[in-house]
Amino acid sequence: MVADNDLQDEGDIIFVEVTLTDPSDFETTLEVHGQVRHGTRRVLSFESSSVPNAIAALLLHIRDQTGVKPHIYFEWTEGNPIVQILRFLFFGVGEVAPVTREVLRRAEPDRKRRPHVHVG
């Protein structure tokens, strides 16, 4: 993670784990739980019916509570990008990173206030 994304300090990393729930549950309150796993890995975990929307909501909440624009780092899913586009068009599922970015773009039109999304 650190080397893949040219990060300076592994101690500043907080992992985000979203467990997918019933997709027909459109409106819920996110209950985020922080844990330390394996002695050093800080993890924020929660459940949601939409992973990109939940991550975007978490990032906006962190920004609003701390006054700091958070950064989030994703990896691209392996596989054919055309298949990924078709999955999104026909089933509404696909890459979490670009959908999260789009949710953030719509929720926060001011680029200077928008959390940073990195994909590598």
Side-chain angles (χ1 to χ4, degrees), residues 25-101:
D25 190 7
F26 295 113
E27 190 174 323
T28 61
T29 300
L30 294 179
E31 293 184 25
V32 181
H33 303 279
Q35 306 172 318
V36 176
R37 297 185 188 165
H38 310 291
T40 60
R41 302 291 186 219
R42 297 178 296 168
V43 180
L44 295 177
S45 59
F46 51 98
E47 297 179 345
S48 177
S49 61
S50 171
V51 175
N53 291 30
I55 292 172
L58 174 68
L59 295 172
L60 291 169
H61 181 74
I62 290 170
R63 180 207 61 194
D64 292 345
Q65 292 299 307
T66 66
V68 176
K69 290 189 304 184
H71 292 246
I72 189 155
Y73 295 83
F74 293 99
E75 285 186 351
W76 289 117
T77 302
E78 294 294 325
N80 186 324
I82 301 299
V83 172
Q84 295 294 332
I85 291 170
L86 292 174
R87 286 181 64 215
F88 179 75
L89 291 174
F90 291 111
F91 304 111
V93 298
E95 288 286 343
V96 173
V99 177
T100 301
R101 185 195 174 281

